[in-house]
Amino acid sequence: MLRIEFWNRRAARRGVALILLLFLTATFAWSTAGRRDRQDRRSGDEGPPGNMAVIDARFYEIATQGAQRRLLMRILVENQSPVDRNAGFRLEITKNRRRGSLGACQGEALPRGQVALCEVWLPTKGIEEGDTLTVTLARDFAGFAGWDNDPSDDRRSAELKTIPDGGAVLRIAKWDVRPRVMAGMGEAQFQFTVEGAHLVWLLPSGPDAKPRLLAGHPADGILTGKGRIRIRQSGPVTLVSRNSLGAFVYETIPVQNTYSRPEAHQWLRAPSQEVDGVATAVIFEPGVYEDDADEAVLQALNTYLASKDWAAEIQRMQRPGEEERPRPASVLNPEATKRRR
């Protein structure tokens, strides 16, 4: 009898434990399903939580001597999750983590494993050397917080630094093109000297002009040189240089081909970059994680220059006493012409 009673008590305990286990399993399954349902309602059709990260943010200062500088911030964002981001995303730029946005960039979507580039032109007022700007993914935009459950990589900061420690300020000490007025298509001579420079380019006239690398310094130093450029049409010939920190300086000289009459609409086809607006993200091809920043800045500068009314400047050159008189395109050395006479 004792053995039977003991067995009955043990069986009863096993039954209670089994019932309790089934109850806990059902409760856990119901709770998990509830969380998934709430998560799906927050993220729409996005699927399981993903992760987007700000992987790079850098300043580029573009200036011309005697005029206001322009500030460009280039930001890279990567979808580091195994799922696509089908909804939009937004980046906000703030100064020293203060409230109030200085600029923004918005994207429509970002496939898994791919990188998007944002180029934001910032207002120069209130941004000084040594200031820190912070780029942050907006978690309250388009259900982003419900899709990305890791906020640790949503933010990246960059310091505006254009002068190397103990180095020289980037400056174009000399830039000249001769002749500046020529009768027909031909060659002109140029010479330059740049202080505190790392690289120097020549940017010919025209919206489709290709930059020509003239000189380079391992770090930052004095670069000087001379050469020839073929003038096909009237317009600006520009010297561009940058230092190792990404500061650019440029100076433009208008050159006229008297057989190519400039018109204002020629130079207004490309709009200048908007400042203090909302930029649009550009998605790189799969497997591409960065581009040539120098090439991008030079193209942006060429677009900016093409939007200016160079026709008015060239017409000013035609006034008596304003510039040298037209010379044959084949004449590269006016002094040699005088000796022949």
Side-chain angles (χ1 to χ4, degrees), residues 188-201:
Q189 291 180 327
F190 65 84
Q191 53 183 328
F192 65 90
T193 300
V194 187
E195 300 173 354
H198 177 55
L199 295 172
V200 178
W201 294 270

Side-chain angles (χ1 to χ4, degrees), residues 179 181-186 256-260 325-330:
V181 182
M182 54 180 59
M185 184 174 62
Q256 183 188 10
N257 174 354
T258 57
Y259 292 174
S260 171
R325 301 179 67 180
R327 298 179 182 275
S330 59

